[in-house]
PDB file of all heavy atoms in Angstrom:
ATOM      1  N   SER A  17       7.824  -8.060 -22.538  1.00 82.00           N
ATOM      2  CA  SER A  17       8.748  -7.387 -21.632  1.00 82.00           C
ATOM      3  C   SER A  17       8.031  -6.887 -20.381  1.00 82.00           C
ATOM      4  O   SER A  17       8.524  -7.037 -19.258  1.00 82.00           O
ATOM      5  CB  SER A  17       9.426  -6.217 -22.354  1.00 82.00           C
ATOM      6  OG  SER A  17      10.272  -5.513 -21.467  1.00 82.00           O
ATOM      7  N   ALA A  18       6.857  -6.299 -20.565  1.00 81.00           N
ATOM      8  CA  ALA A  18       6.073  -5.797 -19.430  1.00 81.00           C
ATOM      9  C   ALA A  18       5.634  -6.946 -18.529  1.00 81.00           C
ATOM     10  O   ALA A  18       5.666  -6.830 -17.299  1.00 81.00           O
ATOM     11  CB  ALA A  18       4.861  -5.015 -19.935  1.00 81.00           C
ATOM     12  N   LEU A  19       5.252  -8.056 -19.119  1.00 80.00           N
ATOM     13  CA  LEU A  19       4.855  -9.229 -18.341  1.00 80.00           C
ATOM     14  C   LEU A  19       6.023  -9.753 -17.520  1.00 80.00           C
ATOM     15  O   LEU A  19       5.886 -10.041 -16.328  1.00 80.00           O
ATOM     16  CB  LEU A  19       4.320 -10.321 -19.276  1.00 80.00           C
ATOM     17  CG  LEU A  19       3.901 -11.626 -18.614  1.00 80.00           C
ATOM     18  CD1 LEU A  19       2.767 -11.387 -17.624  1.00 80.00           C
ATOM     19  CD2 LEU A  19       3.491 -12.635 -19.665  1.00 80.00           C
ATOM     20  N   GLN A  20       7.170  -9.862 -18.121  1.00 85.00           N
ATOM     21  CA  GLN A  20       8.359 -10.329 -17.411  1.00 85.00           C
ATOM     22  C   GLN A  20       8.729  -9.376 -16.270  1.00 85.00           C
ATOM     23  O   GLN A  20       9.073  -9.816 -15.179  1.00 85.00           O
ATOM     24  CB  GLN A  20       9.540 -10.484 -18.374  1.00 85.00           C
ATOM     25  CG  GLN A  20       9.404 -11.667 -19.296  1.00 85.00           C
ATOM     26  CD  GLN A  20      10.522 -11.732 -20.317  1.00 85.00           C
ATOM     27  OE1 GLN A  20      11.318 -10.803 -20.459  1.00 85.00           O
ATOM     28  NE2 GLN A  20      10.590 -12.833 -21.044  1.00 85.00           N
ATOM     29  N   GLN A  21       8.640  -8.093 -16.530  1.00 85.00           N
ATOM     30  CA  GLN A  21       8.950  -7.103 -15.503  1.00 85.00           C
ATOM     31  C   GLN A  21       7.950  -7.209 -14.348  1.00 85.00           C
ATOM     32  O   GLN A  21       8.325  -7.165 -13.180  1.00 85.00           O
ATOM     33  CB  GLN A  21       8.936  -5.692 -16.087  1.00 85.00           C
ATOM     34  CG  GLN A  21       9.328  -4.619 -15.098  1.00 85.00           C
ATOM     35  CD  GLN A  21       9.319  -3.226 -15.720  1.00 85.00           C
ATOM     36  OE1 GLN A  21       8.895  -3.044 -16.863  1.00 85.00           O
ATOM     37  NE2 GLN A  21       9.781  -2.255 -14.978  1.00 85.00           N
ATOM     38  N   GLY A  22       6.682  -7.374 -14.661  1.00 83.00           N
ATOM     39  CA  GLY A  22       5.655  -7.515 -13.631  1.00 83.00           C
ATOM     40  C   GLY A  22       5.867  -8.767 -12.799  1.00 83.00           C
ATOM     41  O   GLY A  22       5.732  -8.743 -11.571  1.00 83.00           O
ATOM     42  N   LEU A  23       6.198  -9.866 -13.441  1.00 81.00           N
ATOM     43  CA  LEU A  23       6.463 -11.109 -12.723  1.00 81.00           C
ATOM     44  C   LEU A  23       7.670 -10.954 -11.806  1.00 81.00           C
ATOM     45  O   LEU A  23       7.663 -11.421 -10.664  1.00 81.00           O
ATOM     46  CB  LEU A  23       6.689 -12.259 -13.709  1.00 81.00           C
ATOM     47  CG  LEU A  23       5.459 -12.749 -14.459  1.00 81.00           C
ATOM     48  CD1 LEU A  23       5.846 -13.761 -15.530  1.00 81.00           C
ATOM     49  CD2 LEU A  23       4.455 -13.361 -13.501  1.00 81.00           C
ATOM     50  N   GLN A  24       8.705 -10.317 -12.280  1.00 85.00           N
ATOM     51  CA  GLN A  24       9.912 -10.104 -11.481  1.00 85.00           C
ATOM     52  C   GLN A  24       9.610  -9.234 -10.265  1.00 85.00           C
ATOM     53  O   GLN A  24      10.054  -9.526  -9.150  1.00 85.00           O
ATOM     54  CB  GLN A  24      11.018  -9.458 -12.338  1.00 85.00           C
ATOM     55  CG  GLN A  24      12.319  -9.261 -11.611  1.00 85.00           C
ATOM     56  CD  GLN A  24      12.977 -10.574 -11.231  1.00 85.00           C
ATOM     57  OE1 GLN A  24      12.795 -11.598 -11.876  1.00 85.00           O
ATOM     58  NE2 GLN A  24      13.746 -10.559 -10.164  1.00 85.00           N
ATOM     59  N   GLN A  25       8.847  -8.172 -10.467  1.00 86.00           N
ATOM     60  CA  GLN A  25       8.492  -7.300  -9.346  1.00 86.00           C
ATOM     61  C   GLN A  25       7.629  -8.040  -8.330  1.00 86.00           C
ATOM     62  O   GLN A  25       7.804  -7.883  -7.132  1.00 86.00           O
ATOM     63  CB  GLN A  25       7.768  -6.056  -9.857  1.00 86.00           C
ATOM     64  CG  GLN A  25       8.662  -5.084 -10.578  1.00 86.00           C
ATOM     65  CD  GLN A  25       7.888  -3.933 -11.204  1.00 86.00           C
ATOM     66  OE1 GLN A  25       6.660  -3.942 -11.269  1.00 86.00           O
ATOM     67  NE2 GLN A  25       8.605  -2.933 -11.696  1.00 86.00           N
ATOM     68  N   GLY A  26       6.699  -8.858  -8.808  1.00 83.00           N
ATOM     69  CA  GLY A  26       5.852  -9.637  -7.911  1.00 83.00           C
ATOM     70  C   GLY A  26       6.654 -10.644  -7.109  1.00 83.00           C
ATOM     71  O   GLY A  26       6.442 -10.819  -5.906  1.00 83.00           O
ATOM     72  N   LEU A  27       7.592 -11.296  -7.753  1.00 82.00           N
ATOM     73  CA  LEU A  27       8.450 -12.255  -7.070  1.00 82.00           C
ATOM     74  C   LEU A  27       9.292 -11.559  -6.015  1.00 82.00           C
ATOM     75  O   LEU A  27       9.397 -12.031  -4.880  1.00 82.00           O
ATOM     76  CB  LEU A  27       9.347 -12.968  -8.083  1.00 82.00           C
ATOM     77  CG  LEU A  27      10.339 -13.972  -7.527  1.00 82.00           C
ATOM     78  CD1 LEU A  27       9.616 -15.101  -6.813  1.00 82.00           C
ATOM     79  CD2 LEU A  27      11.194 -14.531  -8.651  1.00 82.00           C
ATOM     80  N   GLN A  28       9.864 -10.435  -6.365  1.00 84.00           N
ATOM     81  CA  GLN A  28      10.689  -9.673  -5.427  1.00 84.00           C
ATOM     82  C   GLN A  28       9.873  -9.248  -4.203  1.00 84.00           C
ATOM     83  O   GLN A  28      10.307  -9.378  -3.069  1.00 84.00           O
ATOM     84  CB  GLN A  28      11.253  -8.430  -6.118  1.00 84.00           C
ATOM     85  CG  GLN A  28      12.150  -7.592  -5.247  1.00 84.00           C
ATOM     86  CD  GLN A  28      13.589  -7.746  -5.650  1.00 84.00           C
ATOM     87  OE1 GLN A  28      13.894  -8.302  -6.683  1.00 84.00           O
ATOM     88  NE2 GLN A  28      14.479  -7.261  -4.829  1.00 84.00           N
ATOM     89  N   LYS A  29       8.668  -8.746  -4.441  1.00 86.00           N
ATOM     90  CA  LYS A  29       7.808  -8.308  -3.337  1.00 86.00           C
ATOM     91  C   LYS A  29       7.436  -9.493  -2.450  1.00 86.00           C
ATOM     92  O   LYS A  29       7.450  -9.390  -1.225  1.00 86.00           O
ATOM     93  CB  LYS A  29       6.556  -7.635  -3.891  1.00 86.00           C
ATOM     94  CG  LYS A  29       5.648  -7.059  -2.827  1.00 86.00           C
ATOM     95  CD  LYS A  29       4.471  -6.328  -3.428  1.00 86.00           C
ATOM     96  CE  LYS A  29       3.577  -5.766  -2.344  1.00 86.00           C
ATOM     97  NZ  LYS A  29       2.435  -5.045  -2.895  1.00 86.00           N
ATOM     98  N   GLY A  30       7.112 -10.617  -3.054  1.00 85.00           N
ATOM     99  CA  GLY A  30       6.761 -11.812  -2.296  1.00 85.00           C
ATOM    100  C   GLY A  30       7.918 -12.310  -1.441  1.00 85.00           C
ATOM    101  O   GLY A  30       7.732 -12.694  -0.283  1.00 85.00           O
ATOM    102  N   LEU A  31       9.112 -12.293  -1.998  1.00 84.00           N
ATOM    103  CA  LEU A  31      10.286 -12.718  -1.238  1.00 84.00           C
ATOM    104  C   LEU A  31      10.549 -11.783  -0.066  1.00 84.00           C
ATOM    105  O   LEU A  31      10.861 -12.227   1.044  1.00 84.00           O
ATOM    106  CB  LEU A  31      11.517 -12.770  -2.147  1.00 84.00           C
ATOM    107  CG  LEU A  31      11.544 -13.906  -3.164  1.00 84.00           C
ATOM    108  CD1 LEU A  31      12.713 -13.734  -4.133  1.00 84.00           C
ATOM    109  CD2 LEU A  31      11.634 -15.249  -2.463  1.00 84.00           C
TER     110      LEU A  31
END
Side-chain angles (χ1 to χ4, degrees):
S17 177
L19 178 61
Q20 288 175 351
Q21 183 179 7
L23 289 173
Q24 183 66 28
Q25 288 174 350
L27 178 61
Q28 182 107 11
K29 184 176 180 180
L31 288 172

